[in-house]
């Protein structure tokens, strides 16, 4: 199954609020570790290396638009 | 009376070769009397090949160095008859624990199933390993070990190598049909040939301390990430024989290696781990940096490289000395087969191909471990810490914790010596894999281990169930054993009935059924195993032509 890029969350604003709220009162270092933990949990849940690689490449392109050779 | 192997000095003796008007000629010369060189020499000698071993020093290793010796290495040494003293002296262990800051986050068992002769690992100071190998080498009439003999010239010519050897009595010339360079990470032979290793050097330093003390830590591998007693760095603790404990402290790249080994700087680090009142003596201290690199090719004409001379890895995973011993076992039987005329010289190319593949696997694992243990960026550290934090409660994260992926033998998938399966098999023993051990009973009903039947010859193992093969099959099996390379026939019964076989055919009983389980074998299944105990071919039914073809292929005749 390919990476879903169309809207898949029933309540996007609720998700976004929960995401930001999770970082409440954290230092930057703690936030970085929280984000890392979140990525690890979700990646394991997805469990499909093709989907994960697609997401990794798209995420990298989102900050480096010309980086066609992203991993 | 225990021997202090670190204190031994071996006398230089002038050899008659040094007074020969023309250079003496030898079949195989091994350079380096470390674990890899001595294992190579013993394996060759037990195959009837006369070996000269040259070493530029006259002492064994100082300090514990390699320390962790893997199950596979012990199995190789069992075949060479030196495994038992290693295991008797060593500290056996299977369990590792990982700590993050002040908490245990994970515990793993490297040998979770019973029915193996050897543990996952033993810890043993390298000087004991070299001491036991040296004793065995001295006892072997085909091994000629020459101390204080430094190779200073290597010239290749068709069919051999010309050597120049420097000794306290001056230099002399030697000729060898094959030269095996086991002369360590800085390999002088490699330099003499103008070759180099390529790879990554890591900007980090580690302090190793051998500490003598009585302590009640268990015989387990303990690894700390960022512990309170050594913040922001890692620490590794191992139990060794003689109440000696090995502690590795990560220091970082900026540490001064000269200052770091001074007792005034070492003792506080150890007290921080053990407690202010701990009583201990420092046995040996050293600082190391490491590289992950290898030579592009392990064979150059009649010179073959093995061990650290050919490849270097980071220490996490115990893949250095262990892979070197596997180099030795891969090479010895091939050199024998070529020297005996049973195989073409190209068989030695398969050594290079298989062990370069193994080196790549070891390099990949050890580089990944190093990147986890010493994160190179802030984000890499965040992920590392997140994995360790999650590991306590989330099983998936434990699989990501990487404090070293500990040495396992490489499966030579895709080796030109393999014959592909034609039948369906389950399990781990695909062509190229190393044979698994299992408890068995000999023909007289005594307990034995399967691997002891794979004695350095090729082996054709035929699973028979409760009935010996018919006369025609036996005749075909014996025909196979009459080829150019030594081959042993082993009939595997299920213990329900004795198997009648002529005396040149071994009989063993898989009375617990574990062998059949591990080899996914049924009555009729046969395996062709190489002299280094790797699987060459397997079939559901014995087919003389197919097995003869597989044997020829495993000897490089393909």
């Amino acid at each position: 199954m390919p990476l879903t890029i169309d809207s898949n969350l029933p309540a996007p604003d609720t998700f976004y609020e929960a995401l930001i709220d999770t970082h409440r009162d954290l230092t930057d270092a703690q936030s970085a570790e929280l984000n890392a933990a979140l990525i690890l949990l979700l990646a394991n849940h997805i469990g499909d290396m093709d989907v994960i690689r697609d997401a990794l490449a798209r995420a990298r392109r989102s900050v480096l638009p010309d980086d066609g050779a992203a991993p | 009376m225990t021997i202090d192997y670190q204190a031994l000095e071996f006398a230089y003796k002038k050899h008659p070769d040094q007074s020969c008007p023309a250079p003496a000629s030898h079949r195989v010369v091994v350079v380096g009397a470390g674990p890899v060189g001595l294992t190579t020499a013993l394996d060759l000698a037990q195959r009837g090949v006369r070996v000269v071993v040259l070493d530029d020093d006259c002492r064994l290793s100082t300090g514990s160095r390699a320390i962790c010796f893997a199950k596979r290495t012990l199995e190789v040494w069992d075949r060479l008859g030196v495994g038992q003293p290693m295991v008797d002296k060593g500290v056996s262990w299977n369990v590792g624990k990982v700590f993050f800051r002040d908490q245990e986050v994970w515990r793993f068992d490297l040998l979770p199933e019973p029915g193996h002769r050897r543990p996952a690992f033993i810890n043993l100071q390298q000087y004991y390993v070299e001491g036991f190998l040296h004793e065995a080498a001295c006892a072997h009439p085909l091994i000629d070990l020459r101390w204080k003999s430094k190779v200073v010239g290597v010239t290749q010519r068709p069919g051999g190598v010309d050597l120049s050897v420097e000794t306290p009595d001056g230099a002399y010339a030697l000729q060898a049909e094959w030269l095996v360079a086991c002369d360590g990470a800085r390999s002088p032979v490699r330099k003499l040939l103008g070759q180099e290793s390529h790879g990554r050097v890591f900007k980090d330093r580690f302090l190793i301390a051998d500490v003598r003390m009585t302590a009640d830590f268990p015989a387990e591998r303990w690894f700390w990430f960022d512990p309170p007693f050594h913040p922001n760095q890692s620490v590794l603790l191992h139990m060794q024989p003689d109440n000696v404990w090995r502690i590795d402290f990560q220091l970082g790249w900026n540490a001064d290696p000269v200052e770091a080994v001074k007792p005034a700087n070492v003792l506080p680090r150890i007290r921080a781990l053990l407690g202010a009142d701990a009583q201990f003596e420092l046995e040996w201290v050293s600082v190391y940096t490491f590289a992950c690199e290898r030579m592009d090719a392990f064979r150059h004409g009649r010179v073959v490289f093995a061990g650290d001379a050919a490849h270097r890895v980071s220490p996490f995973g115990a893949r250095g000395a262990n892979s070197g011993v596997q180099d030795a076992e891969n090479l010895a039987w091939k050199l024998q087969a070529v020297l005996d005329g049973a195989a073409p010289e190209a068989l030695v190319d398969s050594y290079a191909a298989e062990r370069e593949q193994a080196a790549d696997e070891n390099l990949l694992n050890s580089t990944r471990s190093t990147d986890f243990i010493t994160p190179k960026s802030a984000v890499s550290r965040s992920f590392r810490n997140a994995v360790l934090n999650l590991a306590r409660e989330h099983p998936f994260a434990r699989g990501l914790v990487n404090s070293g992926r500990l040495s396992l033998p490489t499966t030579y998938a895709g080796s030109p010596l393999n014959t592909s399966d034609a039948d369906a098999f389950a399990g781990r023993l695909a062509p190229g894999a190393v044979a698994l051990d299992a408890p068995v009973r000999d023909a007289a009903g005594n307990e034995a281990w399967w691997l002891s039947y794979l004695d350095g010859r090729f082996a054709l193992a035929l699973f028979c169930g409760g009935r010996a093969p018919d006369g025609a099959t036996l005749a075909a099996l014996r025909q196979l054993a009459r080829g150019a390379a030594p081959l042993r026939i082993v009939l595997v019964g299920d213990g329900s009935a004795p198997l009648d076989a002529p005396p040149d055919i071994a009989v063993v009983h898989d009375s617990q059924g574990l062998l059949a389980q591990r080899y996914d074998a049924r009555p009729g299944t046969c395996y062709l195993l190489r002299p280094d105990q790797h699987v060459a071919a397997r079939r559901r039914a014995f087919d003389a032509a197919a097995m003869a073809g597989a044997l020829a292929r495993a000897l490089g005749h393909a």
Side-chain angles (χ1 to χ4, degrees), chain B residues 153-228:
Chain B
V154 178
T155 311
Q156 303 246 21
R157 60 175 160 72
V161 181
D162 293 325
L163 296 174
S164 176
V165 183
E166 210 168 73
T167 73
D169 284 326
Y172 68 103
L174 271 185
Q175 294 186 331
E177 287 178 57
W178 292 92
L179 180 70
V180 186
C182 310
D183 51 349
R186 283 183 287 271
S187 179
V189 171
R190 190 179 63 219
K191 290 203 183 77
L192 289 168
L193 285 188
Q195 298 295 323
E196 4 181 82
S197 278
H198 298 116
R200 257 173 92 181
V201 178
F202 288 85
K203 292 202 163 175
D204 210 338
R205 294 185 206 279
F206 286 77
L207 175 78
I208 326 173
D210 280 347
V211 174
R212 189 181 290 272
M213 62 177 180
T214 2
D216 52 6
F217 298 110
E220 298 172 346
R221 175 189 196 261
W222 284 16
F223 195 103
W224 287 269
F225 291 97
D226 191 12

Side-chain angles (χ1 to χ4, degrees), chain B residues 204-250:
Chain B
D204 210 338
R205 294 185 206 279
F206 286 77
L207 175 78
I208 326 173
D210 280 347
V211 174
R212 189 181 290 272
M213 62 177 180
T214 2
D216 52 6
F217 298 110
E220 298 172 346
R221 175 189 196 261
W222 284 16
F223 195 103
W224 287 269
F225 291 97
D226 191 12
F229 56 85
H230 193 59
N232 299 316
Q233 309 280 21
S234 65
V235 177
L236 176 60
L237 175 74
H238 276 289
M239 183 200 272
Q240 304 183 84
D242 306 335
N243 291 319
V244 176
W245 297 76
R246 159 78 171 259
I247 314 172
D248 292 36
F249 294 96
Q250 184 191 2

